[in-house]
Amino acid sequence: MNKLMKAVVINEYGTNDVVRYVDVECPEPEAGEVLVRIHAAGVNPVDWKIRDGAGQRMGMTLPIHLGGEIAGIVEKIGNGVENLKTGDAVFGSIKTGGFAEFAVTKAAYLAVKPTRLDFINAAAIPLGALTAWQAMFDVAQLASGQKVLITSASGGVGSLAVQLARAHGAHVTGMASGRNDEFVHSLGVDEFVNYEKLAFEEVVKNMDVVFDNVGGDTFTKAFRTLRKGGFLATVVAFPKDEARQYGVSAARVQCKPNGEQLVLIRELVDSGKLKAHVATVLPLREVKQALELSATGRTRGKIILKIAAESV
């Protein structure tokens, strides 16, 4: 029997009542995998959405080990792993199991963490940065000199998207509530829109790209801000026929773990062009509180679970 570790598991879908903080067997890496001693894990909306039932729609099988964003130390490597070695400090977006003391994942999903970040701040980067990168650059093909509107620019994904777009040479309009005006400006936006005071679809025009992190009415109205031939990438809505009506393109983007892109993201972090913004740090045993806080949708920056006592 393998040694035991603490982990967060659901055996059924539902509210926080189904979330269990329990002892489970520590996994072992197979070929192409590594075992990571997790120091910190990022909390994201997808975590409580999986708990609520999205896991079934995503093809996941119960019991589910929650958590998909980690930073830690490589404890053991499986056969064939060449990009990492035991003792490497790493960060990455993984499929499942990040809310635990240890996790096994494909080595290709990880990269050596930025040298200028501790584990807490490194865990605030991978999922949001990869999501923004893949939506804006891979899917929407945002190019230097183009104009992009980023909704929820103060959130965990949006705040990273602003910085990535700026580093890419784009003209960035960030949208958030008035209380986040100063914070969003500090990220480097060229224009700020307070959605509480302005009908953004009336004042924002001729965008090449919209990166939507809100959905609902915001998603629907955002089409009106695009130029003909523009692109709306969303991580929360399900585009139907809206794009055709406005003469634009639209796509829903789901983040895919990608260690090669994380290397590029790490370089931006270490060059000072990308910063993590941590809102709250909680111990792993308080995972329910973290999920509740995430579900409010009002957190500025990232919620992090601190796991290893030696996190720095």
Side-chain angles (χ1 to χ4, degrees):
M1 179 177 177
N2 294 337
K3 66 179 181 181
L4 296 179
M5 67 173 189
K6 291 293 186 183
V8 177
V9 182
I10 61 169
N11 296 302
E12 58 185 314
Y13 298 112
T15 65
N16 260 346
D17 291 339
V18 306
V19 177
R20 299 284 181 262
Y21 175 60
V22 295
D23 289 318
V24 300
E25 286 192 19
C26 185
E28 287 289 325
E30 297 182 355
E33 296 180 335
V34 296
L35 174 69
V36 179
R37 177 188 292 271
I38 302 174
H39 284 230
V43 179
N44 299 282
V46 69
D47 298 314
W48 53 264
K49 290 177 181 179
I50 288 172
R51 177 207 65 194
D52 286 354
Q56 186 172 20
R57 297 190 294 274
M58 294 165 65
M60 303 174 81
T61 302
L62 292 167
I64 296 171
H65 291 232
L66 294 178
E69 183 176 37
I70 63 170
I73 300 288
V74 175
E75 187 88 355
K76 188 182 295 187
I77 62 173
N79 292 332
V81 173
E82 296 181 352
N83 63 315
L84 298 171
K85 63 183 184 299
T86 301
D88 279 346
V90 295
F91 73 144
S93 172
I94 65 176
K95 294 290 188 179
T96 60
F99 296 167
E101 292 176 313
F102 294 88
V104 159
T105 185
K106 291 184 179 180
Y109 291 171
L110 304 175
V112 173
K113 81 170 180 66
T115 57
R116 67 188 294 159
L117 296 185
D118 59 20
F119 290 109
I120 295 292
N121 284 277
I125 293 283
L127 186 63
L130 285 173
T131 299
W133 186 289
Q134 292 167 12
M136 295 191 299
F137 307 145
D138 294 349
V139 176
Q141 297 289 298
L142 179 67
S144 178
Q146 288 191 324
K147 297 192 294 184
V148 59
L149 168 66
I150 297 171
T151 67
S152 189
S154 62
V157 176
S159 60
L160 293 171
V162 168
Q163 297 172 78
L164 288 172
R166 284 286 293 159
H168 209 65
H171 181 282
V172 182
T173 298
M175 189 168 78
S177 64
R179 73 184 182 90
N180 290 308
D181 186 334
E182 184 177 345
F183 173 64
V184 175
H185 270 106
S186 75
L187 300 174
V189 293
D190 298 284
E191 307 286 343
F192 175 76
V193 176
N194 178 354
Y195 68 81
E196 295 171 319
K197 290 187 175 181
L198 297 172
F200 78 96
E201 71 277 12
E202 300 294 339
V203 297
V204 181
K205 298 294 180 184
N206 298 313
M207 294 290 111
D208 297 289
V209 173
V210 171
F211 178 37
D212 170 49
N213 298 282
V214 178
D217 288 343
T218 298
F219 163 76
T220 303
K221 294 175 180 177
F223 283 98
R224 296 170 58 182
T225 71
L226 285 164
R227 64 165 174 80
K228 293 291 184 182
F231 203 109
L232 190 155
T234 179
V235 293
V236 286
F238 293 89
K240 296 180 182 177
D241 298 324
E242 302 95 340
R244 187 184 311 169
Q245 175 186 345
Y246 290 97
V248 300
S249 300
R252 178 180 171 86
V253 180
Q254 185 170 340
C255 179
K256 297 178 181 178
N258 189 312
E260 292 181 354
Q261 289 179 341
L262 282 176
V263 171
L264 301 176
I265 290 165
R266 180 187 71 210
E267 292 171 354
L268 290 174
V269 173
D270 281 337
S271 67
K273 295 180 179 179
L274 185 66
K275 295 180 181 179
H277 294 273
V278 175
T280 305
V281 180
L282 295 167
L284 181 60
R285 64 179 178 275
E286 294 183 20
V287 62
K288 291 184 180 182
Q289 181 182 341
L291 294 171
E292 287 175 3
L293 190 57
S294 174
T296 67
R298 297 187 177 277
T299 301
R300 177 189 295 174
K302 200 63 175 275
I303 303 165
I304 300 294
L305 294 172
K306 182 177 179 180
I307 298 173
E310 61 268 35
S311 293
V312 294

